[in-house]
Amino acid sequence: GGQDWVWLKNAFYKVFGSFPLHYRSPADMRTLKDVREFCEITDMPEFKPARAHDALSDALAQADEIAWTLTRLGACVELAGEIDGE
């Protein structure tokens, strides 16, 4: 997991000469889980890879989970704004 960030950063430097993300930017699925728990999002469906032990299937399932979570977080933020009168 942590090595991926090093490889990505080095590839960006080699190809583009710079890296567009701040050093504090890396996050993983555990961070996303922590955010869901903090926001009390408990209705998440199960996102399973189409093929077991397949990197592309794993990545696509994680992308679906991220997209779903960000959509739910957006709805929570809008609801919080309505409750606070914003």
Side-chain angles (χ1 to χ4, degrees):
Q3 188 64 28
D4 293 346
W5 186 256
V6 174
W7 292 332
L8 179 65
K9 189 165 104 175
N10 288 335
F12 261 87
Y13 276 116
K14 183 149 183 96
V15 174
F16 301 109
S18 65
F19 189 59
L21 301 173
H22 193 272
Y23 72 92
R24 290 186 301 217
S25 294
D28 59 18
M29 297 303 286
R30 291 172 296 202
T31 303
L32 199 61
K33 180 180 177 279
D34 292 344
V35 169
R36 280 195 306 263
E37 288 176 2
F38 179 80
C39 294
E40 299 178 357
I41 297 173
T42 58
D43 60 339
M44 185 182 83
E46 185 174 358
F47 295 95
K48 293 181 102 174
R51 293 175 39 198
H53 309 293
D54 178 71
L56 178 58
S57 291
D58 289 344
L60 292 172
Q62 286 184 354
D64 288 342
E65 183 177 337
I66 291 166
W68 183 91
T69 300
L70 292 177
T71 300
R72 285 290 278 119
L73 287 173
C76 289
V77 168
E78 287 178 22
L79 179 60
E82 291 174 15
I83 293 171
D84 290 340
E86 294 179 4

